[in-house]
């Protein structure tokens, strides 16, 4: 008779042994420097998280940046900005790149710094000393001057919104050389110096005239420049209609307070704008941003406007792939997932929790793949009844309402093993800090042991660990496991290619490295 104990021991040796511990002090697998830096790049916001503080994140990023070549650092900064839609991390990587002997900095700068917010962030980081000095330096100063020179008047005015530093502060730092009389007048106006009124751009002339007489036509400037003036509800309605999709989504309650929805037809017009598929796609909205707007839409926001956000959600999740075969999605609903997804920051902590994002991803998968199974977990699998035909908002709310308990990433896999389930793709959405199933340092994790059992029955199955926090340990690592991080649509392309067998476990890094500088 076969000695099963021997074979069990031998099988265990074939599994990869852990080589680090996670933030919960449980055995785990370390990501490579490139993988780890990419994880920080698409999830890090330099705020305190459940397991780590902002300073630890920054120290880790600085260390990891020194372990990769400048070209990869540049590509990662571009990826984080263009695909990850991040703000602080791309300019941080760019600041670190500025001190290296490479032209990758000058090639990456225009693609990373696309807005005034990004420019101010870059200057702030450079002056903080994070990049190794507290001044801009020659190359960065030239890039900032060129950025200012290339801005159109509307872009320049949009960049005037914001502080610490403000755009006028930046202008005073870099002393841009005006290319013509109009730009000279614009710079002087921005920093409060005497200027030639006749040479000012038409938009600025109209703004100055409006400040003197608010009965005039609204000037074409960012609405934040008008809020200190006493606008009528009709003027506020005009602001809402002319605003970008994101601006409207962010200011629904502001519009309600200022009487916009009291103007006949405005509710219908704004609802149509919010629900327009083409506009939603162009806005590059995160689904969780829509979830927040939907939750925060007060009773003063008309029902048709709130419903339009649900319509927009259907467009926003259209990039979630439709998978063949048996799909299982496992959202982490443990206690640590109750922390803000972008971390804690005094006076600016997001109301969106990690569990909200995990629930939204799971609900999005279910909406696009109605036969998928959803197995939320903490210490164990939490049974919840979902209907694939229900709206994403409804199912996400059901999942996000669970919450609590420890983290046991093995639990859903144990359930599948027990059921002898047929599995083609399993997707975890978690902070990956599993500890209840800890098997001790040097052994395979509990998650990998359970995955190996699933693979015996389903040899072609694939496992995806989608991490939404800036941690760089994983409970699963193998050729059939994709570790990926972030909130944007870009993760779905990588998951789809991996699930279809078009790429391997390195698909995420491959996408980053494929960026053409």
């Amino acid at each position: 008779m076969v000695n099963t104990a021997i074979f069990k021991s031998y099988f265990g040796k074939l599994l990869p042994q852990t080589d680090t511990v996670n933030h919960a002090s449980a055995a785990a697998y370390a990501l490579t420097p490139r993988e780890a830096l990419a994880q920080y790049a698409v999830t890090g916001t330099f705020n305190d998280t459940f397991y780590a503080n902002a300073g630890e994140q920054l120290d880790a990023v600085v260390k990891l940046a020194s372990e990769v070549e400048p070209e990869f650092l540049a590509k990662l900064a571009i990826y984080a900005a263009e695909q990850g839609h991040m703000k602080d991390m791309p300019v941080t990587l760019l600041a670190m790149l500025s001190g290296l002997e490479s032209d990758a900095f000058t090639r990456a700068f225009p693609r990373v710094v696309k807005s005034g917010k990004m420019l101010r962030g870059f200057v702030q980081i450079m002056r903080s000393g994070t990049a190794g000095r507290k001044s801009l330096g020659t190359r960065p100063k030239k890039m900032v001057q060129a950025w200012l020179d290339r801005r159109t008047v509307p872009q320049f005015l949009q960049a005037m919104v914001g502080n610490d530093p403000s755009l006028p502060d930046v202008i005073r730092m870099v002393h841009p050389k005006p290319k013509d009389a109009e730009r000279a007048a614009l710079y002087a106006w921005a920093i409060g110096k005497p200027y030639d009124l006749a040479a000012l751009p038409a938009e600025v002339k109209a703004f100055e005239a409006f400040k003197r007489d608010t009965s005039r036509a609204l000037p074409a400037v960012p609405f934040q420049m008008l809020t200190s003036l006493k606008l009528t509800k009709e003027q506020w309605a005009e602001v809402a209609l002319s605003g970008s999709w994101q601006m409207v989504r962010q200011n629904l309650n502001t519009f309600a307070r200022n009487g916009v929805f009291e103007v006949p037809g405005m509710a219908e017009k704004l609802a149509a704008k919010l629900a327009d598929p083409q506009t939603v796609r162009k806005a590059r909205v995160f689904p969780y941003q829509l979830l927040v707007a939907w939750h925060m839409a007060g009773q003063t926001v008309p029902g048709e406007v709130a419903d339009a956000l649900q319509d927009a959600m259907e467009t926003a999740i259209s990039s979630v792939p439709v998978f063949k075969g048996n799909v299982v999605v496992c959202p982490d609903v443990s206690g640590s997932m109750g922390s803000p997804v972008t971390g804690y920051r005094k006076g600016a902590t997001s109301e969106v929790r990690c569990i909200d994002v995990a629930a939204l991803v799971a609900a999005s998968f279910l909406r696009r793949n109605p036969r998928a199974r959803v197995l939320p977990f903490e210490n164990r699998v939490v049974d919840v009844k979902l209907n694939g035909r229900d709206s994403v908002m409804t199912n996400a709310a059901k999942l996000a309402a669970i919450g609590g308990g420890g983290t046991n990433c093995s639990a859903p896999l144990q359930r599948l093993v027990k059921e002898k389930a047929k599995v083609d793709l399993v997707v975890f959405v978690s902070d990956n800090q599993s500890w209840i199933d800890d098997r001790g340092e040097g052994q395979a994790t509990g998650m990998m042991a359970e995955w190996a059992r699933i693979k015996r029955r389903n040899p072609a199955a694939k496992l995806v660990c989608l991490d939404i926090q800036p941690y760089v340990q994983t409970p699963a690592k193998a050729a059939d496991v994709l570790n990926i991080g972030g909130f944007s649509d870009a993760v779905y392309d990588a998951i789809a290619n991996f699930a279809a067998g078009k790429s391997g476990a390195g698909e995420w890094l491959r996408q980053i490295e494929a960026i053409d500088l």
Side-chain angles (χ1 to χ4, degrees):
M1 187 173 178
V2 174
N3 187 335
T4 56
I6 294 177
F7 280 90
K8 183 176 180 180
S9 174
Y10 179 72
F11 176 74
K13 291 179 180 178
L14 294 178
L15 295 175
Q17 295 184 346
T18 54
D19 52 10
T20 189
V21 293
N22 61 25
H23 289 279
S25 300
Y29 302 101
L31 300 178
T32 67
R34 287 188 173 205
E35 291 171 333
L37 193 58
Q39 178 63 29
Y40 278 116
V42 296
T43 59
T45 56
F46 298 122
N47 294 330
D48 293 345
T49 63
F50 188 87
Y51 287 108
N53 63 45
E56 291 171 343
Q57 290 181 45
L58 179 58
D59 290 344
V61 169
V62 170
K63 181 178 183 299
L64 289 166
S66 69
E67 298 177 24
V68 301
E69 64 273 16
E71 287 70 24
F72 180 77
L73 203 58
K75 292 178 179 181
L76 185 54
I78 292 170
Y79 181 89
E82 293 183 347
Q83 303 298 323
H85 309 327
M86 302 297 285
K87 298 293 186 292
D88 294 343
M89 189 61 73
V91 292
T92 300
L93 298 177
L94 197 62
M96 294 174 183
L97 190 61
S98 70
L100 303 179
E101 294 295 329
S102 169
D103 66 350
F105 167 72
T106 55
R107 287 183 283 166
F109 189 97
R111 294 182 62 179
V112 172
V113 182
K114 291 288 185 68
S115 67
K117 181 178 177 64
M118 299 288 274
L119 180 76
R120 294 194 306 275
F122 173 75
V123 172
Q124 183 184 46
I125 290 165
M126 290 294 293
R127 296 180 70 200
S128 71
T130 298
R133 57 189 177 197
K134 293 193 175 182
S135 62
L136 285 179
T138 303
R139 276 200 310 169
K141 185 179 289 187
K142 287 183 178 179
M143 295 306 297
V144 174
Q145 290 172 339
W147 188 93
L148 290 167
D149 190 52
R150 289 193 300 267
R151 293 310 99 183
T152 64
V153 173
Q155 289 171 339
F156 184 93
L157 292 175
Q158 189 62 54
M160 287 287 289
V161 177
N163 296 294
D164 299 324
S166 65
L167 188 67
D169 292 334
V170 174
I171 293 172
R172 295 186 189 99
M173 288 178 211
V174 302
H175 305 290
K177 295 180 180 180
K179 58 185 177 182
D180 53 34
E182 180 182 271
R183 190 54 54 127
L186 182 61
Y187 288 156
W189 169 82
I191 63 176
K193 292 287 186 71
Y195 56 85
D196 180 1
L197 179 61
L200 276 178
E203 296 93 330
V204 181
K205 288 179 183 176
F207 174 61
E208 290 297 322
F210 185 79
K211 288 196 296 184
R212 294 190 296 269
D213 180 6
T214 56
S215 66
R216 289 172 172 266
L218 282 177
V221 299
F223 86 98
Q224 294 91 334
M225 297 174 67
L226 303 172
T227 53
S228 62
L229 307 173
K230 293 184 178 180
L231 304 183
T232 66
K233 61 185 178 182
E234 287 78 15
Q235 287 174 322
W236 270 106
E238 190 176 339
V239 167
L241 287 176
S242 62
S244 68
W245 188 94
Q246 288 281 24
M247 181 274 239
V248 172
R249 189 264 307 174
Q250 293 170 330
N251 290 280
L252 291 176
N253 289 326
T254 299
F255 295 152
R257 285 196 305 271
N258 287 281
V260 169
F261 299 117
E262 298 171 14
V263 177
M266 278 303 299
E268 293 80 5
K269 290 178 181 179
L270 290 186
K273 184 172 188 172
L274 288 171
D276 180 63
Q278 185 175 353
T279 309
V280 173
R281 293 189 190 98
K282 186 177 180 181
R284 302 193 307 179
V285 60
F286 286 150
Y288 82 79
Q289 292 173 326
L290 283 166
L291 184 66
V292 174
W294 185 68
H295 278 305
M296 293 187 66
Q299 294 182 351
T300 54
V301 175
E304 59 260 52
V305 176
D307 289 343
L309 294 171
Q310 295 210 56
D311 294 336
M313 178 67 81
E314 295 297 325
T315 300
I317 67 164
S318 61
S319 58
V320 177
V322 175
F323 295 99
K324 295 180 180 179
N326 300 289
V327 178
V328 183
V329 187
C330 308
D332 184 349
V333 296
S334 63
S336 62
M337 296 289 283
S339 62
V341 70
T342 53
Y344 299 94
R345 178 183 291 180
K346 188 176 181 180
T349 298
S350 170
E351 293 190 14
V352 184
R353 304 166 299 165
C354 294
I355 193 172
D356 295 318
V357 175
L360 186 57
V361 171
S364 300
F365 265 83
L366 183 61
R367 182 67 170 164
R368 298 280 290 162
N369 301 269
R371 297 182 64 186
R373 291 186 66 183
V374 178
L375 298 178
F377 69 94
E378 24 106 333
N379 295 25
R380 55 182 177 77
V381 172
V382 181
D383 293 313
V384 59
K385 189 174 182 180
L386 302 175
N387 184 342
R389 294 186 177 183
D390 282 344
S391 72
V392 172
M393 304 293 199
T394 299
N395 283 329
K398 286 182 180 179
L399 289 167
I402 304 172
T407 308
N408 181 5
C409 289
S410 297
L413 301 182
Q414 288 172 348
R415 169 74 66 89
L416 296 172
V417 169
K418 184 177 181 180
E419 294 176 352
K420 299 180 181 179
K422 291 184 178 180
V423 174
D424 295 294
L425 176 67
V426 181
V427 179
F428 275 73
V429 191
S430 172
D431 60 12
N432 279 340
Q433 300 300 296
S434 190
W435 57 272
I436 288 180
D437 53 350
D438 184 24
R439 291 156 55 93
E441 191 173 350
Q443 300 186 55
T445 61
M447 188 176 183
M448 280 302 294
E450 297 301 329
W451 180 243
R453 294 185 178 97
I454 287 176
K455 291 285 286 187
R456 291 178 190 174
R457 288 185 170 274
N458 306 274
K462 302 288 182 67
L463 174 63
V464 175
C465 295
L466 173 55
D467 199 335
I468 55 178
Q469 285 286 270
Y471 307 135
V472 292
Q473 309 86 25
T474 177
K477 196 172 185 182
D480 54 8
V481 179
L482 174 66
N483 280 287
I484 190 169
F487 318 104
S488 73
D489 291 347
V491 301
Y492 296 127
D493 290 336
I495 293 174
N497 288 336
F498 181 66
K502 297 178 181 178
S503 63
E507 166 67 5
W508 187 27
L509 286 185
R510 186 197 64 76
Q511 289 188 357
I512 296 169
E513 291 167 345
I515 291 174
D516 185 5
L517 286 177

